[in-house]
Amino acid sequence: MAARSRHVVTFFRTDFRALDGEHAERWLLETHGDIRLGGDVRGFAETMVGDARFAVCTTSMAGHCGCDAEFGQILVSTATGGYHWQVGRDAGTLDDEPALFQPGDRLLADIVDVEARSLALDLGALSETAAMVYGIEGARIRFDGPRPTSPAAASSLRALLDDSAGLGDGLESETLRALVYRALAVSVLEGFRLLGDVPERHLAARERYTAYRRAARFIDDFASLPITVADVAHAVGLPVRDLMAVFRAHAPRGVTPRGYLRLARLDAARADLDRDPETSRDRVAQRWGFSSAAMLELELRKDRPDGD
């Protein structure tokens, strides 16, 4: 079975600096949507890393300005400093919790000396991920407002966004980038309330076991490619939720699909190192989707049997 086709996933990194609001506004219009700034912007800087599906943005703005925006993609943002937002009748601050802004909503914001982290998600890619996670083909993604579903969801989103931004050029690894994209996309789908119902599907016991064998074989065959759990679910024709249940029922020690994929890549990395002990550990780590040689070494140690 061949791995399915995916969005164009060429890595990019952009770094932009501006000393005034005019140039900052021009940049925002080119990258994020119909965004207008008014006030005293004394400095602006933004770094973006990602691909066609998503970008992780680290932004700083010095000064005090107003913002009137309609975004061209899903944007999830968190910030320190002064960032007060309003969408319709809802309002809040990014210092308190992350907020989601989506196409079709008008954002009004008051910004003072802010440091922000944002996730920009392509709507088409997110719709495709939602179809895999929930088994809804042709799903139209629309969220029921800017606020996370719970304080726990807000905390998890903030931590994941910070961790993803910290990877920087490590996201040049296509395998790692695919894992990060899926983690971020699913966190957004689960962390903000979707409009409409999410259907449940149930499988008979024999179907579950057959699906598990097919999923395990797919992972073993394609672990060298930047596949994610969503790709595995698509390959066996299940929503991600059902795939999780299949692995809980049949995988050794109840390992998750993500755990199985991690172990497959770890075994492959170990085999590479055993074949050629002099090979670059950084190169092996990048090949198999680990963020660094140090992280690969840590995973190898954790996976080593007691007494080795």
Side-chain angles (χ1 to χ4, degrees), residues 31-215:
T31 55
H32 293 299
D34 187 5
I35 301 173
R36 307 293 173 177
L37 303 178
D40 178 25
V41 177
R42 299 192 302 274
F44 176 91
E46 184 167 75
T47 297
M48 300 173 62
V49 293
D51 59 31
R53 301 165 296 186
F54 78 112
V56 178
C57 313
T58 302
T59 310
S60 62
M61 183 183 292
H64 183 185
C65 73
C67 176
D68 186 338
E70 290 189 19
F71 295 104
Q73 69 272 82
I74 300 289
L75 197 76
V76 178
S77 297
T78 182
T80 56
Y83 195 114
H84 297 265
W85 59 265
Q86 180 179 344
V87 175
R89 296 182 179 180
D90 208 347
T93 67
L94 292 186
D95 200 32
D96 290 337
E97 63 180 7
L100 181 146
F101 310 118
Q102 58 190 325
D105 286 348
R106 183 185 182 190
L107 165 70
L108 299 176
D110 184 69
I111 305 170
V112 182
D113 294 331
V114 74
E115 300 281 340
R117 292 269 172 80
S118 300
L119 167 66
L121 285 165
D122 175 74
L123 191 55
L126 187 63
S127 297
E128 183 177 304
T129 301
M132 294 176 192
V133 171
Y134 301 118
I136 315 170
E137 292 300 329
R140 180 179 180 274
I141 296 301
R142 185 73 186 168
F143 291 91
D144 187 23
R147 296 183 181 277
T149 55
S150 68
S155 178
S156 176
L157 282 161
R158 187 187 297 273
L160 184 57
L161 191 51
D162 286 345
D163 290 345
S164 301
L167 291 172
D169 287 340
L171 288 175
E172 191 169 358
S173 163
E174 189 175 2
T175 300
L176 179 60
R177 199 165 67 251
L179 294 172
V180 170
Y181 164 72
R182 185 187 180 278
L184 289 167
V186 172
S187 292
V188 170
L189 290 169
E190 296 289 340
F192 295 91
R193 187 170 291 105
L194 283 166
L195 288 174
D197 296 327
V198 176
E200 298 283 350
R201 291 178 59 192
H202 304 282
L203 298 177
R206 180 173 296 181
E207 290 174 309
R208 285 178 181 271
Y209 182 65
T210 301
Y212 165 71
R213 292 291 299 273
R214 291 174 59 205

